[in-house]
Amino acid sequence: MKIKGIEVEDFVNYKKPSMFIAIGDCDWKCCIEGGFDISICHNSPLAHAKEYEVDCEFLYNEYINNPITKAIVIGGLEPFTRFEDVYELIKYFRDHNCNDTFVIYTGYYPEEIESELISLGQMNNLIIKFGRFVKNAPKRFDDVLGVELSSDNQYARFIQCIKLHT
Ligand code: SF4
């Protein structure tokens, strides 16, 4: 799988110390819908970042051998543009008896990625943060993540608590 970057110890995206992995591309949906420039998206510098080829085993070992980190956060650009890689990574951890929390940061809303959420429904201990970044909206503290999100339309849910229309 290709990743844009890895932060072996991240303390800002989840309440527990986490390994942060940046995956995916983006169609800049937040910027286009909000009518603002792509440069306003805090992930935009990653658009031109070089991608690195890694495998699940490498990421697993980076995580499991670090006594500080207690969760894994997958963030943007937009991880759902590489859904198969994200799924494979979580499954690899679960197959190796690591049930620590995974968090996926997405700009989508649940109704836009229903089939992917149904597939992920088999995974335990998985949190997804939903919603576009809305410029100038107030920030919102999210109780599930234990951190502040960039706009007040965004929220996080455990996968089992997500309501789908299907
Ligand atoms: S989904 Fe993420 S990367 Fe894409 S425009 Fe929104 S905030 Fe930026």
Side-chain angles (χ1 to χ4, degrees), residues 23-154:
I23 297 180
D25 305 305
C26 192
D27 57 6
W28 310 113
K29 49 193 171 294
C30 307
C31 315
I32 293 166
E33 290 174 20
F36 55 87
D37 192 80
I38 287 168
S39 61
I40 307 286
C41 162
H42 62 281
N43 287 326
S44 62
L46 280 175
H48 305 294
K50 189 176 164 227
E51 288 195 308
Y52 299 89
E53 187 71 43
V54 294
D55 57 22
C56 294
E57 185 183 4
F58 168 80
L59 294 170
Y60 176 80
N61 286 331
E62 285 293 302
Y63 176 74
I64 217 75
N65 293 318
N66 186 334
I68 294 172
T69 44
K70 306 292 177 210
I72 307 97
V73 176
I74 303 176
L77 297 170
E78 172 54 78
F80 277 89
T81 58
R82 302 278 173 84
F83 178 68
E84 274 121 43
D85 291 342
V86 170
Y87 184 91
E88 187 193 348
L89 181 65
I90 301 172
K91 187 162 184 319
Y92 186 94
F93 275 61
R94 298 306 185 239
D95 288 348
H96 289 76
N97 295 319
C98 176
N99 288 308
D100 293 356
T101 307
F102 265 85
V103 180
I104 306 175
Y105 270 70
T106 179
Y108 287 119
Y109 293 102
E111 58 273 20
E112 298 173 309
I113 46 171
E114 287 202 354
S115 61
E116 290 87 348
L117 295 178
I118 289 167
S119 300
L120 289 170
Q122 316 157 16
M123 306 290 186
N124 61 342
N125 209 9
L126 169 63
I127 297 170
I128 306 193
K129 171 258 138 194
F130 294 103
R132 308 280 195 269
F133 162 59
V134 177
K135 189 180 157 209
N136 296 330
K139 293 182 190 300
R140 176 183 162 273
F141 184 83
D142 187 272
D143 290 331
V144 175
L145 293 175
V147 300
E148 205 169 55
L149 295 172
S150 344
S151 51
D152 60 355
N153 59 305
Q154 299 182 320

Side-chain angles (χ1 to χ4, degrees), residues 7-22:
E7 195 81 46
V8 286
E9 289 164 17
D10 174 79
F11 302 93
V12 296
N13 287 293
Y14 186 50
K15 57 190 162 192
K16 295 180 183 174
S18 306
M19 179 172 81
F20 181 89
I21 308 166

